[in-house]
Amino acid sequence: MNDGELDDVDRNILYYLQQDARRTSSSEIAEKLGLSASTVRTRINKLEDSGVIRGYHLDIDYDLAGYPLYTKIICTAPVSERDELAGAALKIDGVTAVREIMTGERNVYVNTIGRDHDDLNRISEELDALGLEIVDEQIIRDEYVCPYQGFLDGDADAE
Amino acid sequence: MNDGELDDVDRNILYYLQQDARRTSSSEIAEKLGLSASTVRTRINKLEDSGVIRGYHLDIDYDLAGYPLYTKIICTAPVSERDELAGAALKIDGVTAVREIMTGERNVYVNTIGRDHDDLNRISEELDALGLEIVDEQIIRDEYVCPYQGFLDGDADAE
DNA sequence: CTTGAAAAAGCGTTAGC
DNA sequence: GCTAACGCTTTTTCAAG
């Protein structure tokens, strides 16, 4: 699909988009990198087409949004069914992310949001009904998602 | 800051922005909800100001981007230092997310990306140096981040 | 919350270095 | 691969109802 290698310009573009993917325009990035807007636009399109950029999403404060209960449910799935079960879990209302772990008993992590304990109980039941054995359930106190990745540091071509 | 309650219009806006936060314009959402573009823009501004929308971020395929090693490092921190240590961990190159758990021994989860094992080793060492005791380290096989949350289902005002 | 205008900024394409 | 310029489309901002 592409040569698979990102150069400094690509990394810088990812860096700036990571900061504010909605309001940062191509021309704005171009100005900061000392390139033309066309170039940046072409690069972004390539990053999207090649699949490096999978999408642009919201970072929501679920607490303020009315879903104050944020948990991580740790499950066990047979390796043979792990992929399938993980996919099914993602479709449950209130599930925000699913991660599959390579090895071990705790091999599926499910992140959830809820308005109250009824929501959480329902999610637990649905996971159980799917065949995911719940090993542990933890209430998340706080979550920091990094809008900045060091590897994508932005000063290669930058002034 | 606000009354804290989101109505159906707000939830619909969040839903549509969640799909494609960069390319979905206010007018596009307005059309789908049968409202004017101005109204939608005002709502979005309010959601940003009130903090419900914390930001707009990229969903990057780190594998394609050249960082094929994706891990979850589970740590223990004394409750009194947990906040501080979690904040410090977020600044390490390669750390993409940090989650604080309310209770238990495994109370800080650190997600990381890396090009090779040297990156991972360095991150582990830096976490250790901070004072975070590493309890477990797991290689993530696959991650699904949900671009759609059931609670934010979009058909209240929609046609 | 809506409308409607002007102003501004975006994008894709083209041609050329 | 980058730049620059064209034209087109879209968004934004502002006023007013």
Side-chain angles (χ1 to χ4, degrees):
Chain A
M1 213 170 281
N2 69 346
D3 57 342
E5 273 303 304
L6 305 185
D7 63 10
D8 285 336
V9 173
D10 292 321
R11 271 187 285 271
N12 274 286
I13 290 174
L14 289 177
Y15 168 77
Y16 285 115
L17 283 179
Q18 188 72 280
Q19 310 301 308
D20 185 346
R22 183 172 174 81
R23 300 280 159 76
T24 308
S25 64
S26 306
S27 18
E28 205 172 326
I29 298 173
E31 195 177 358
K32 284 180 177 166
L33 296 181
L35 297 170
S36 78
S38 312
T39 306
V40 174
R41 250 177 278 134
T42 309
R43 293 290 193 122
I44 293 177
N45 288 340
K46 275 186 191 166
L47 288 168
E48 291 174 350
D49 292 342
S50 69
V52 173
I53 295 179
R54 286 193 290 212
Y56 305 92
H57 297 304
L58 278 181
D59 180 11
I60 297 177
D61 187 322
Y62 288 114
D63 209 343
L64 286 178
Y67 306 97
L69 290 178
Y70 194 7
T71 74
K72 174 193 296 296
I73 299 177
I74 302 169
C75 308
T76 297
V79 176
S80 57
E81 306 174 36
R82 191 186 53 193
D83 279 5
E84 187 193 339
L85 291 174
L90 193 64
K91 293 183 184 155
I92 297 174
D93 272 3
V95 169
T96 59
V98 177
R99 293 182 181 79
E100 292 183 49
I101 307 297
M102 290 287 282
T103 58
E105 187 191 302
R106 305 156 73 94
N107 62 358
V108 176
Y109 281 69
V110 180
N111 282 30
T112 73
I113 56 170
R115 286 161 294 199
D116 48 43
H117 281 286
D118 284 346
D119 278 335
L120 299 186
N121 288 334
R122 179 185 48 76
I123 295 171
S124 298
E125 285 164 16
E126 291 193 42
L127 288 171
D128 198 62
L130 285 175
L132 279 163
E133 186 192 339
I134 297 177
V135 179
D136 199 355
E137 186 159 356
Q138 303 170 335
I139 296 177
I140 297 179
R141 182 191 129 72
D142 225 334
E143 182 182 40
Y144 308 107
V145 175
C146 197
Y148 160 74
Q149 268 85 43
F151 292 137
L152 306 176
D153 199 359
D155 50 8
D157 274 51
E159 9 107 52
Chain B
M1 214 171 278
N2 69 348
D3 57 342
E5 274 304 303
L6 305 185
D7 64 11
D8 286 336
V9 174
D10 292 321
R11 269 186 286 271
N12 274 285
I13 290 173
L14 290 177
Y15 167 77
Y16 286 116
L17 283 179
Q18 189 72 279
Q19 310 301 311
D20 185 345
R22 183 170 173 80
R23 300 279 159 77
T24 307
S25 65
S26 307
S27 18
E28 202 172 329
I29 298 173
E31 195 178 359
K32 284 179 178 169
L33 297 181
L35 298 170
S36 77
S38 310
T39 306
V40 173
R41 230 173 293 124
T42 308
R43 293 290 190 120
I44 293 177
N45 289 338
K46 274 186 194 165
L47 289 168
E48 291 174 349
D49 293 342
S50 68
V52 173
I53 295 178
R54 286 195 290 213
Y56 305 91
H57 298 305
L58 278 181
D59 180 11
I60 297 177
D61 187 323
Y62 288 114
D63 209 342
L64 285 178
Y67 305 97
L69 290 177
Y70 193 8
T71 74
K72 175 193 294 298
I73 299 177
I74 302 169
C75 309
T76 297
V79 176
S80 58
E81 305 173 39
R82 190 187 54 193
D83 278 4
E84 187 192 339
L85 290 174
L90 193 64
K91 294 184 184 154
I92 297 173
D93 273 3
V95 170
T96 59
V98 178
R99 292 183 182 80
E100 293 183 50
I101 306 297
M102 289 288 282
T103 57
E105 188 190 302
R106 305 156 74 95
N107 62 357
V108 177
Y109 282 69
V110 180
N111 283 29
T112 73
I113 56 168
R115 286 159 294 201
D116 48 43
H117 280 287
D118 283 347
D119 278 335
L120 299 186
N121 288 335
R122 177 186 49 77
I123 295 172
S124 298
E125 285 164 14
E126 291 192 44
L127 288 171
D128 198 62
L130 284 176
L132 279 163
E133 185 192 341
I134 296 176
V135 179
D136 200 356
E137 187 160 356
Q138 304 170 334
I139 296 179
I140 297 179
R141 181 190 130 72
D142 226 332
E143 182 183 38
Y144 309 107
V145 175
C146 196
Y148 160 74
Q149 269 85 40
F151 293 137
L152 306 176
D153 198 359
D155 50 8
D157 274 50
E159 7 129 37

